Amino acid sequence: MGGDYGPKVTVPSALKALLLYPKLELLLVGNPTKIHLLLKKTNSILRKRITVIAAESVIANDAKPSSAIRTSRGTSMRISLELLKEGQAQACISAGNTGVLIGLANIILKHINGIRRPALMVTLPNKKQGKTLLLDVGANISCDSASLVQFAIMGSVISEHLMKIPYPRVALLNIGVEENKGLSPIQHASAFLRNTPVVNYIGYLEPNELLTGKTDVLVVDGFVGNVTLKTMEGIIRVFASCIKPSRDNKKQSFLTQLSMQWIQRYLVHQFDQLHPDQYNGACLIGLHGVVIKSHGAANQHAFTSAIEKAIQTVEHQISQRIAARLDEVLPKE
Amino acid sequence: MGGDYGPKVTVPSALKALLLYPKLELLLVGNPTKIHLLLKKTNSILRKRITVIAAESVIANDAKPSSAIRTSRGTSMRISLELLKEGQAQACISAGNTGVLIGLANIILKHINGIRRPALMVTLPNKKQGKTLLLDVGANISCDSASLVQFAIMGSVISEHLMKIPYPRVALLNIGVEENKGLSPIQHASAFLRNTPVVNYIGYLEPNELLTGKTDVLVVDGFVGNVTLKTMEGIIRVFASCIKPSRDNKKQSFLTQLSMQWIQRYLVHQFDQLHPDQYNGACLIGLHGVVIKSHGAANQHAFTSAIEKAIQTVEHQISQRIAARLDEVLPKE
């Protein structure tokens, strides 16, 4: 129900995902009238893999987390998370209010043993045709060094199992590469990670190296991570808008128009993997259960990407693998 | 002497600036042998507007600020700042060690009354063909709310006088637009700025709006500002490298090569103003005297931009205007 477009985007995306993944089954939680209306023309075979679950209300996109969480009973978001907790679903995907989703997930789902606070993680493309995991991108406004270390371990496990990288490189985002640079939680986390054998820690990475593929996992506190991600998205959208034809296009000659179209097609192809839609779906990690946050403004293509992310995370048993790794690392009682 | 290329870039840039600005006179501070070698072929009229000032040593680009500052006597950077302090120069431009430059400037130059800590400011292009001032981009790792308010006032004065905007809009960078978002120094600065009539405060701005031109001045602490700037530069450089022809170019047909060249020329033109070289030259503001920090990797074009920034800042008497505005605002004894 959430996001800027609600079921108009999420329902068609769900149908698309069912076509792409023949074993997938989906529970659509929300206003049944609105959902059924959008399912009317669906063929009966696909329809059998959908269960509509009624929810009385929806959390507003601009609701303040503290009060929205207090009054969340019966909302589509809360019901989805409860289905996850009860094992009736393996993952929960939402384009709704990020703060409320994180807050509710924190309350409803169990934390993995050894994780104090979950982190929000995105998968970014990089110039070396690989993927860089960036976390935290906004679950925690500020992070102490212990949280940063936990994020590094979680990111490392995910890169290993999802990206199939045997010994993933892990870096801390900082404004310089010298050990004495930056804020003290980063410096402390760095000192700790240097002596943590389960993490292949490579030191600090500066933000201008974000897409260069010099690291597989990049760890940062939630405020700075969110700024980094949003800065990147803003710049890419400016580039994308520069590529669009100008309004005066009709005044231009046919040949110029044709060349412009050709350029656009070339660029769209060239920059396609950098477009935020391609990596939509931030993963809330550190909890028992898979929770994926889609961008609120996601279109059908982007929301389908978020569903795909959920499928991969479930199939690779990411939560279980994080729990197992932490079990190895944590001191035994 | 500083930066990745030293006099090989700075001296030709100086000559270019002298050609562009007929009233400009330059003091070149550093190793006289190296500088004179690069001036050998300069015509005698230009040569008269250059004074070479010998300095015994140079601060290393990777020197640790605390110890480098202690042993800075006789270095080109320190001598340049002393010339500025003594009134023999109106501005100091350096591509050298940022931390040492800020530290030395803090020690050698007087602070403007009412400013506790200077800020590093860059001028970014925006989609509306205007300029957005971003500060602090790295002079202060962390900032309290009072510093953020001081930065807002300084940015406002500079936008007014340098960009000729009568009542410049000032925003605080934050990860959401609601008043309760983000870190507490930002929230306190926001509350204060809402009641500060000398600043046209418009609220929070998210980093994805960085280049949209929705604000004239964007205030942030030095750590996050540096991350924002470096993220932006990194993304732009990735785009620039995507535009470059691939190495297999020779295998392509003549027509394809020609089209590629055409596309590149179109894009270079389209994105030219967004390229970091165009806005090279961060201004250290809050001190009596103009100090410009060029990117260490600046090429001749970029270093000339930094010199031009110094000229504009001096001509518009920015330090004096900031002092006057603060004098208006500060409570009288």
Side-chain angles (χ1 to χ4, degrees):
Chain A
M1 300 302 293
D4 300 353
Y5 312 107
K8 262 178 270 177
V9 157
T10 55
V11 173
S13 305
L15 296 173
K16 177 73 187 277
L18 289 170
L19 284 171
L20 290 170
Y21 295 86
K23 289 182 181 172
L24 180 66
E25 292 185 28
L26 289 171
L27 314 177
L28 306 183
V29 188
N31 180 317
T33 320
K34 286 186 184 170
I35 297 173
H36 281 298
L37 201 69
L38 287 155
L39 290 175
K40 235 175 20 189
K41 292 184 185 167
T42 312
N43 80 57
S44 61
I45 301 168
L46 271 195
R47 188 63 190 76
K48 279 183 191 153
R49 289 156 58 202
I50 297 172
T51 312
V52 176
I53 292 177
E56 287 162 27
S57 54
V58 175
I59 286 167
N61 288 332
D62 57 354
K64 210 181 153 184
S66 51
S67 57
I69 289 170
R70 262 199 310 279
T71 58
S72 60
R73 201 162 298 275
T75 60
S76 52
M77 194 185 277
R78 185 171 187 126
I79 292 174
S80 305
L81 288 165
E82 285 167 346
L83 287 167
L84 182 54
K85 189 197 175 188
E86 293 157 9
Q88 294 189 53
Q90 272 69 57
C92 162
I93 303 133
S94 170
N97 189 312
T98 311
V100 181
L101 182 68
I102 293 169
L104 273 179
N106 249 315
I107 294 167
I108 294 170
L109 303 173
K110 270 193 187 164
H111 287 218
I112 291 174
N113 191 20
I115 299 295
R116 270 193 305 182
R117 301 190 61 84
L120 209 53
M121 184 194 79
V122 288
T123 308
L124 299 179
N126 67 46
K127 263 173 72 182
K128 294 189 178 156
Q129 317 299 325
K131 303 280 181 204
T132 297
L133 303 179
L134 177 68
L135 72 163
D136 174 25
V137 296
N140 310 279
I141 287 298
S142 61
C143 296
D144 58 12
S145 61
S147 290
L148 294 174
V149 169
Q150 289 164 19
F151 299 168
I153 296 171
M154 292 197 288
S156 185
V157 172
I158 296 172
S159 181
E160 194 181 322
H161 291 284
L162 229 81
M163 278 75 207
K164 307 293 172 204
I165 295 168
Y167 200 42
R169 297 158 301 171
V170 177
L172 290 166
L173 188 78
N174 203 344
I175 59 171
V177 292
E178 301 84 6
E179 207 49 50
N180 62 335
K181 284 269 172 158
L183 303 160
S184 74
I186 302 174
Q187 292 172 6
H188 291 141
S190 181
F192 191 90
L193 286 169
R194 289 211 181 280
N195 297 309
T196 305
V198 293
V199 173
N200 178 16
Y201 177 62
I202 59 165
Y204 298 147
L205 196 87
E206 293 190 77
N208 49 352
E209 307 267 22
L210 190 62
L211 301 184
T212 55
K214 287 195 180 166
T215 191
D216 303 303
V217 179
L218 188 54
V219 173
V220 59
D221 74 59
F223 187 86
V224 177
N226 195 277
V227 167
T228 306
L229 186 68
K230 283 183 178 156
T231 301
M232 173 182 155
E233 290 182 354
I235 307 296
I236 293 176
R237 287 188 199 279
V238 165
F239 272 84
S241 75
C242 284
I243 294 167
K244 271 189 195 160
S246 76
R247 284 188 194 159
D248 305 332
N249 231 6
K250 282 181 185 167
K251 290 182 197 155
Q252 290 165 354
S253 74
F254 175 70
L255 200 68
T256 310
Q257 282 185 47
L258 204 73
S259 321
M260 285 294 294
Q261 280 177 17
W262 201 80
I263 289 178
Q264 275 172 258
R265 220 171 299 156
Y266 166 80
L267 289 173
V268 165
H269 173 77
Q270 198 79 347
F271 299 143
D272 195 37
Q273 62 149 351
L274 287 179
H275 198 280
D277 286 355
Q278 294 295 337
Y279 54 82
N280 183 42
C283 197
L284 187 67
I285 58 169
L287 300 169
H288 285 288
V290 173
V291 179
I292 304 286
K293 171 65 180 74
S294 161
H295 205 292
N299 57 22
Q300 285 184 25
H301 173 68
F303 197 79
T304 307
S305 295
I307 300 174
E308 292 187 277
K309 197 145 287 168
I311 296 169
Q312 289 157 10
T313 312
V314 170
E315 282 185 341
H316 290 86
Q317 303 184 290
I318 293 304
S319 300
Q320 296 87 324
R321 291 194 193 275
I322 291 172
R325 178 69 52 90
L326 283 164
D327 207 40
E328 275 174 39
V329 177
L330 292 175
K332 295 283 170 295
E333 280 159 78
Chain B
M1 300 302 293
D4 299 352
Y5 311 109
K8 261 178 272 179
V9 158
T10 55
V11 173
S13 305
L15 295 172
K16 178 73 187 277
L18 289 169
L19 284 170
L20 290 170
Y21 296 86
K23 288 183 181 171
L24 179 66
E25 291 183 31
L26 288 172
L27 313 178
L28 306 184
V29 188
N31 180 318
T33 320
K34 287 188 183 169
I35 297 174
H36 281 299
L37 200 70
L38 288 156
L39 290 175
K40 237 174 21 189
K41 292 183 185 169
T42 313
N43 81 56
S44 61
I45 301 169
L46 271 194
R47 188 62 191 76
K48 280 184 190 152
R49 288 157 59 203
I50 297 172
T51 311
V52 177
I53 291 177
E56 287 161 29
S57 54
V58 175
I59 285 168
N61 288 331
D62 57 354
K64 211 181 152 184
S66 52
S67 57
I69 288 169
R70 262 200 311 279
T71 57
S72 60
R73 202 163 298 275
T75 60
S76 52
M77 194 187 276
R78 185 170 187 129
I79 293 174
S80 306
L81 288 165
E82 285 168 347
L83 288 166
L84 182 56
K85 190 199 173 186
E86 293 156 9
Q88 294 189 51
Q90 272 70 56
C92 162
I93 303 133
S94 171
N97 188 312
T98 311
V100 180
L101 183 69
I102 294 168
L104 273 179
N106 248 315
I107 294 168
I108 294 171
L109 304 173
K110 270 193 186 163
H111 287 217
I112 292 173
N113 190 20
I115 298 295
R116 270 193 304 180
R117 300 190 62 83
L120 207 54
M121 183 194 81
V122 289
T123 308
L124 298 179
N126 67 45
K127 263 173 72 183
K128 291 188 180 158
Q129 316 299 326
K131 303 282 181 205
T132 297
L133 303 179
L134 177 68
L135 73 165
D136 175 24
V137 295
N140 309 279
I141 288 297
S142 62
C143 296
D144 58 11
S145 61
S147 290
L148 295 174
V149 170
Q150 290 164 18
F151 299 167
I153 295 172
M154 291 198 287
S156 185
V157 173
I158 296 173
S159 181
E160 193 180 325
H161 290 284
L162 225 70
M163 278 77 209
K164 306 293 171 205
I165 295 168
Y167 201 40
R169 297 158 300 171
V170 177
L172 289 167
L173 188 78
N174 204 344
I175 58 170
V177 293
E178 303 84 6
E179 207 49 50
N180 63 336
K181 283 270 173 159
L183 303 160
S184 75
I186 302 174
Q187 292 172 6
H188 290 141
S190 180
F192 191 91
L193 285 168
R194 290 212 179 279
N195 297 309
T196 305
V198 291
V199 174
N200 177 16
Y201 177 63
I202 59 166
Y204 298 147
L205 196 86
E206 293 191 76
N208 49 351
E209 307 268 23
L210 190 64
L211 301 183
T212 54
K214 287 195 179 164
T215 191
D216 301 304
V217 180
L218 188 54
V219 173
V220 60
D221 74 58
F223 187 86
V224 178
N226 196 279
V227 167
T228 306
L229 186 66
K230 283 185 178 156
T231 301
M232 173 182 155
E233 291 183 353
I235 308 296
I236 293 176
R237 288 189 198 279
V238 165
F239 271 85
S241 75
C242 284
I243 294 168
K244 272 189 195 158
S246 75
R247 285 188 193 159
D248 306 330
N249 231 6
K250 283 182 184 167
K251 290 183 199 157
Q252 291 166 354
S253 73
F254 177 71
L255 200 70
T256 310
Q257 282 186 46
L258 203 75
S259 321
M260 284 294 295
Q261 279 176 18
W262 200 81
I263 289 178
Q264 275 173 260
R265 219 170 300 156
Y266 167 82
L267 288 174
V268 166
H269 173 78
Q270 199 80 346
F271 299 143
D272 196 37
Q273 62 149 353
L274 287 179
H275 199 280
D277 286 354
Q278 295 294 336
Y279 55 82
N280 183 42
C283 198
L284 187 67
I285 58 171
L287 300 169
H288 286 288
V290 173
V291 179
I292 304 286
K293 171 64 180 74
S294 161
H295 205 293
N299 58 21
Q300 286 185 26
H301 174 68
F303 197 80
T304 307
S305 294
I307 301 175
E308 291 187 278
K309 197 145 286 167
I311 296 168
Q312 289 156 11
T313 312
V314 170
E315 282 185 340
H316 290 87
Q317 302 182 292
I318 293 305
S319 300
Q320 295 88 325
R321 292 194 192 275
I322 291 172
R325 178 70 51 88
L326 282 164
D327 206 43
E328 274 175 39
V329 177
L330 291 175
K332 293 286 172 293
E333 281 158 79

